[in-house]
Structures are given as structure tokens and as C-alpha cells.
Amino acid sequence: MDESIDYLDPGLAQTTEAWGVMWNVYLPLLGYRHANGAAGATIVPYLAESLPRVSRDGRTYALTLRKGLRYSNGKPVLASDFKQTIERDLVIDSAGAGFFSNIVGARRFAKRQRGGISGIEVDDAERTIRIRLRQPQGDFDNVLASEYAAPVPANAPRGDSSTPPLPSTGPYAIASYQPGRQIVEVRNPYFHASVFDGDVPRGNPDRVTWDVVATGQTAFRRVLSGQDDWMGYYPVPSSALRWTKHHRRDRLRIFTPANLVYFFMNTRVKPFTSLAVRRAVNYAISRNELVRLAGGLALPTENILPPAYPSYRPHHLYPHDVRKARRLVRESGSRGMRVTVWNSDVGADRAFTKYLVGVLDLIGFRARQKIVPASIYFTTVARPDAHAQVGFADWLQDYPNPLDWFDVLLNGARIASSPNDDYAFFDDPRVNARIAVLRRRPQLTPAVDRAWAALDRKTMELAPWAPFLNRRQTNFFSARVDLACYVNSVIYEFDYASICIRSTQPG
């Protein structure tokens, strides 16, 4: 794997790589089915006996822990551990802390860090957990299924506990972690799959070793030779992809994670206060050319939501039309204005904004590129006083619900909060109101999916963004791996717990 793990503490980790390691280690009350495709977005009980019992007003969630649960150190899992875990998230300034802000008393506790969260009531003897919300929240099951909600012992340190790792509740426990070098997982001796009624599998491997390597070329060579069995967080190098498709197709899987790459346009800063200009940018960019710049391992898109979602309905509002884009810029009265295009110093992404600079020049602006260190890029463009006119952004889902896109990225009511992820500073009352209505719908029924699809189209008619591609990813395996067992989670990608080894080697 690559070097992108930030933490192996479920309260702090926020990278795909870290979650991919931990989802079979730290189990939340709820979780996702171990299945390919859309079925992998189905929420099932993990540590809880059943899905939550939700009150009529949608504000109270009641759950009961399964009997006989123990951590990998042999100590019992208690209902009070869940409450302490959420309070720990708020104390350690977890990236997931905002997910719990709707719980009664959570904001007060976050400020004072004493007195506990009044909206979480637990009974260790009865194994019960009762959560009260300030208002209905359509994605709260997804919040409970996140790694941030995975219970850890009540005495867990109020700080980074990646090393030594915390005791686990899942089929695996982290035996050792050498940051930047290696992770070793072994079976949790106190995990019994029979307790989970099939919702959490036992896991096939007895031991999982993650080797961290510096480049995709190195990872590819190691898997091709059989030194390692899988590479997935590095894509197969573009120079080797065609050969791999032709000569090792049976060992290659290509998939599209729930992600989006887009240009944001700051609706509070000229010239992008003009709807005509924002639409002009959408007409002017060639999404196929941007896919080519991405090395071809991507799909072009105009949508906000990714193709994996049941609410995805592809729309084609902006066919490539430079002449029309020039006309819109001329009619807006902004022709000749200076425009600064923002991006981070991540080399692979800079080609996109270099391309956009050329396009903006072509349609009548005087454009230049501004590069900001990756470590501060997104916090910088999120600040109103940065006046970032237009720039690069991408998003990978936290969980498979449209609220994780619209409510987080495009709800103007959240701009004043921290962190702000609405880099376009898009604040349309009609869109905000529709998000608020759909936020109160806890089930993603076909009717709700259609409503989200309609909002996707309506928002793109207002053009706060110019979406252009969904990245694709590869999984490549050694010859000894049996891909009849292959499972790729829509949330966590490759499910290492489900993989098998061939009984005989090919050839």
C-alpha cells in the first residue's frame, strides 16, 4: 500500500487507506454488508443486536448491544464505552466530531469538555443505548456505521492511540504498526462470528501483513513477482496498464469509487458571481480532455453525485462548446478580467488547473495559476478572506448517502461552521430548503432517490461547480489469489477479510 495512512486510531483516521485497514478491526454499532456493488451500501447490525428503533418524530434512536461481546484483550464491550467513545471524539478534535453535533448536549460538551453528552443514555446491565437528536437526521444510521462511532474501551487515551493500537472488536486485531513501514493484523481471539448472525464474517486470512512502499512502480513489481499479493491504493502505473489488461487481465479489477473531481467557482467573488460565467466555464472545458490528462483511468461527468449511487441520473447540460462560452463571457461584461486559478502542490492534480488556465484565456479572461502547499490548501480556499476565485477540488465519500455531498459541500447554511467544505460559498435558499427537507427522510426510497437526482440537476443548472471526472481505481493481485472470493466494498474498497488463496497455483 501507499504512504497515506494518517492514523490507525478510529477516532482520528480520515484516509481511505486507514479505513481500509480498520474496518475489519474496529466495529461500530452498525456497519455495511460485505458485498460487491450497491449491496455493499446496505446497513446491517454489527455490535448492535438489530437496526435502531427510531421514534415517530425521528429524534430518538434506541439500540441494544449483542450479548457476549469482548475486546481483543478479553474485556467486555459495554454500552457506556459507546458514550465515552463519542465524547472522546469531541475531546481529541476528531475529524468526525461534526457528525455527532446533532446529538442533544454534544455541542455543549464539546465547548466545556465536562459533564458528558446528555443526549446519550446508556445502561451497561441491560446493554442499551438511547440517543436523542435535536432534529431528525436522514443519515444518522450512516453516522453510527462510521469508524468514528466504533466503540473503544472507556479508558482509551484522550490522544492518538495508533501505537500501541487500541483493543479491537472485529475479527482482526492490529498486532503491530510501524508507521511508514508495515502493519500486521492477526485474528482477534475473542471474536466469535456466530454472535453476529452472519452480519460480520469470520474472515478468511489468519494473518494480514500490509507492506508500505514508496511508489506504485515498486508495488506493481512486488505483486507481479508474488512478493506481495495485492496492490490497490496505488493504481497500476499508467505505463503498465495496457500490458496488464492484455497479459494479466484475470488478476486485474477496475472499479469506480464514490468520488468526484471538480472545479469550484466562488459565487461571492467576481467574475463568478455571474451565473453566465459559471455556465461558460462548464461549456468551455472538455471533460474528455481532462480524462486524458488523468491518464485515462477516469470517467467524464457533469454530475455532483457519483455513478455508484441509486440517486445518480446522468445529465448533459453542458456539451463542449467554446463559442457559446465566449459569448456568455462577453454578455456578462467580464471579458478581460484577471482570474486566479487555485490548486495545491500535488503534482498529479496540477495538470487540471494548468488546463483550466488555458481555457479561461481562450474564452476571454486573463488567467494565472496559484499553488498552495497541500497541507493547508483546503483550509485556505475555505476561508472567505482568501477570495479564492476558482480552483481544484475533489471529494471521496465519508458514507454512501447524498447528504454527504449536498449537506457537506453545497448547503449554504453550513458555510459559517468549521470546517467549511463549500469552497464555492454557494448559498441558494431553494437548494438549502430542499436539502433540509430530504435530510429529514431516514430511508433512501426510490422516491427519495429521484428527489436527490432532481436536486443534482437543479444545482448544476446554477453551476457553482464544473464537475469533470470520477476517478477509477485498480486492484491487482498475485497469481496465488483466487478472485472468485473478491469483494470490493463501496465504502472501504478491497475487503481483505473475504479473499481466498488458490488451492493450486496456475501453470
Side-chain angles (χ1 to χ4, degrees), residues 237-257:
S238 55
S239 58
L241 185 58
R242 180 175 294 182
W243 180 89
T244 307
K245 285 180 177 179
H246 184 72
H247 295 284
R248 298 291 186 271
R249 176 177 292 275
D250 61 328
R251 292 157 56 179
L252 177 69
R253 295 292 182 270
I254 300 176
F255 63 98
T256 307

Side-chain angles (χ1 to χ4, degrees), residues 259-265 278 281-283 285-288 290 299-305 315 317-318 391 393 405 410 456 459-461 463-470:
N259 76 99
L260 178 68
V261 185
Y262 63 98
F263 298 126
F264 69 84
M265 292 173 278
R278 301 196 302 270
V281 174
N282 273 283
Y283 282 117
I285 62 172
S286 167
R287 290 168 169 85
N288 289 331
L290 286 160
L299 299 172
T301 187
E302 290 182 17
N303 284 65
I304 294 165
L305 295 174
H315 43 69
L317 298 169
Y318 303 107
W405 299 76
L410 291 161
D456 192 320
T459 304
M460 280 311 304
E461 287 172 352
W465 297 350
F468 57 91
L469 61 83
N470 304 116

Side-chain angles (χ1 to χ4, degrees), residues 219-455:
F220 182 70
R221 288 195 299 269
R222 289 170 68 111
V223 174
L224 192 63
S225 68
Q227 185 177 355
D228 283 300
D229 288 310
W230 166 76
M231 63 174 289
Y233 296 113
Y234 282 120
V236 171
S238 55
S239 58
L241 185 58
R242 180 175 294 182
W243 180 89
T244 307
K245 285 180 177 179
H246 184 72
H247 295 284
R248 298 291 186 271
R249 176 177 292 275
D250 61 328
R251 292 157 56 179
L252 177 69
R253 295 292 182 270
I254 300 176
F255 63 98
T256 307
N259 76 99
L260 178 68
V261 185
Y262 63 98
F263 298 126
F264 69 84
M265 292 173 278
N266 192 329
T267 58
R268 294 183 178 179
V269 179
K270 290 183 178 182
F272 300 105
T273 52
S274 166
L275 175 58
V277 170
R278 301 196 302 270
R279 286 177 172 170
V281 174
N282 273 283
Y283 282 117
I285 62 172
S286 167
R287 290 168 169 85
N288 289 331
E289 175 62 14
L290 286 160
V291 166
R292 187 192 69 78
L293 290 175
L297 205 59
L299 299 172
T301 187
E302 290 182 17
N303 284 65
I304 294 165
L305 295 174
Y309 280 34
S311 42
Y312 173 80
R313 308 284 191 279
H315 43 69
H316 305 283
L317 298 169
Y318 303 107
H320 183 47
D321 191 335
V322 174
R323 181 177 297 179
K324 186 170 186 175
R326 285 173 171 161
R327 176 173 59 78
L328 287 169
V329 170
R330 186 172 62 252
E331 292 173 353
S332 74
S334 57
R335 181 179 172 82
M337 284 188 64
R338 294 185 182 276
V339 174
T340 300
V341 181
W342 292 60
N343 204 343
S344 75
D345 56 3
V346 175
D349 297 336
R350 291 174 66 173
F352 300 132
T353 45
K354 182 179 179 182
Y355 169 82
L356 182 59
V357 166
V359 167
L360 292 173
D361 284 341
L362 187 64
I363 63 177
F365 295 109
R366 291 182 292 165
R368 67 184 182 94
Q369 193 169 197
K370 182 180 179 68
I371 303 300
V372 175
S375 59
I376 61 168
Y377 173 67
F378 285 109
T379 56
T380 300
V381 297
R383 293 199 331 258
D385 60 357
H387 303 294
Q389 290 170 289
V390 58
F392 172 88
D394 57 3
W395 187 251
L396 183 67
Q397 69 176 5
D398 296 303
Y399 46 80
N401 190 301
L403 281 165
D404 191 46
W405 299 76
F406 283 93
D407 196 37
V408 175
L409 303 175
L410 291 161
N411 187 348
R414 294 175 58 125
I415 289 174
S417 64
S418 179
N420 168 44
D421 295 307
D422 184 353
Y423 312 124
F425 291 88
F426 179 66
D427 187 5
D428 184 89
R430 294 162 296 176
V431 172
N432 297 347
R434 195 62 184 145
I435 292 170
V437 169
L438 291 171
R439 199 171 191 267
R440 301 169 70 92
R441 302 291 296 273
Q443 298 297 322
L444 290 175
T445 63
V448 173
D449 283 332
R450 288 193 296 272
W452 281 117
L455 185 59

Side-chain angles (χ1 to χ4, degrees), residues 158-170:
R158 299 289 176 103
D160 179 19
S161 295
S162 300
T163 56
L166 294 166
S168 75
T169 49

